[in-house]
Amino acid sequence: KKANELANNDLDKSISILFAVSSLRQDNMPLEAISLAKDALNSRSLNKNFNHALLVEVGESYYKLNNFNEAIIYFQDAYKMAANEDERAKDLNLIAKTYAIDKNFQKAIEYEIKAGLAFERIGNYDQYVDSGINLASYYSELGDYVSAEKTLLKLENFSRQNEGMYYLAKILYLESR
């Protein structure tokens, strides 16, 4: 609150609001975080570059409240506002994770495939492999063990080619289960 009072311009105010929303969410006050973020999003003084981050914060706050439908709506809105491929990939991953926690594995698979392709495209190989591991687990949840195994084998080959020994070990462990 004090930082917002001392802010001299829209950028400073936007930063203080974002930190306040994030702090409220992390301090298990998601309803307050949602309220503050929504007020900020409706404000004309907010620096528009912060809209994406605030939308993600609202989505994560709804996620924390187990209101997965609302969380997905805000993550999808954030995706539309993303400034770059990295933000879009992360948003797709959040959407997939939210569908999965809500046991909608068909939708989780759809979005995790998109997230994985985006992570691969931007060269974020750690998140690409993590996304693939998530994808395999979603296939397994649906009982589609063939697709899960194919996904893990693809990741195994990728890890061997790129000398990703940590991920190779993780994938081999998952394959053994």
Side-chain angles (χ1 to χ4, degrees):
K1 289 181 180 181
K2 188 72 171 170
N4 196 32
E5 292 171 11
L6 297 173
N8 295 334
N9 56 52
D10 291 346
L11 180 61
D12 290 347
K13 287 180 183 179
S14 299
I15 291 170
S16 70
I17 289 169
L18 180 59
F19 282 133
V21 169
S22 183
S23 295
L24 287 168
R25 180 182 54 78
Q26 292 174 21
D27 287 343
N28 290 319
M29 298 168 57
L31 292 174
E32 292 84 347
I34 291 167
S35 177
L36 180 59
K38 284 183 175 182
D39 288 347
L41 288 165
N42 291 328
S43 167
R44 295 198 183 268
S45 65
L46 179 71
N47 184 304
K48 297 302 176 201
N49 294 326
F50 288 85
N51 284 357
H52 175 266
L54 282 172
L55 289 167
V56 170
E57 286 290 338
V58 174
E60 289 181 350
S61 296
Y62 276 120
Y63 184 94
K64 198 168 212 168
L65 292 168
N66 295 327
N67 187 337
F68 303 120
N69 291 331
E70 285 296 314
I72 288 167
I73 290 168
Y74 279 90
F75 291 145
Q76 288 172 332
D77 287 346
Y79 173 80
K80 293 173 193 166
M81 298 277 309
N84 56 55
E85 193 69 18
D86 187 55
E87 287 180 352
R88 282 187 285 278
K90 290 175 182 177
D91 295 338
L92 290 166
N93 198 50
L94 286 170
I95 295 166
K97 177 179 84 168
T98 307
Y99 275 123
I101 201 76
D102 201 29
K103 306 288 188 219
N104 186 341
F105 295 107
Q106 283 297 116
K107 284 296 221 181
I109 288 168
E110 174 188 336
Y111 280 92
E112 200 66 66
I113 288 171
K114 293 175 184 178
L117 291 171
F119 286 131
E120 183 180 30
R121 195 170 35 255
I122 61 175
N124 190 332
Y125 297 131
D126 288 348
Q127 288 186 305
Y128 166 71
V129 174
D130 283 335
S131 178
I133 290 169
N134 291 341
L135 179 61
S137 73
Y138 303 156
Y139 281 130
S140 292
E141 288 291 336
L142 286 179
D144 186 353
Y145 302 112
V146 172
S147 294
E149 186 176 356
K150 283 181 183 178
T151 301
L152 290 174
L153 288 173
K154 178 181 175 188
L155 294 172
E156 179 184 339
N157 290 333
F158 176 84
S159 295
R160 287 183 194 280
Q161 291 170 356
N162 293 285
E163 299 181 17
M165 294 302 129
Y166 166 77
Y167 283 103
L168 179 60
K170 191 172 181 177
I171 292 161
L172 291 173
Y173 169 75
L174 291 171
E175 287 175 341
S176 70
R177 292 177 35 197

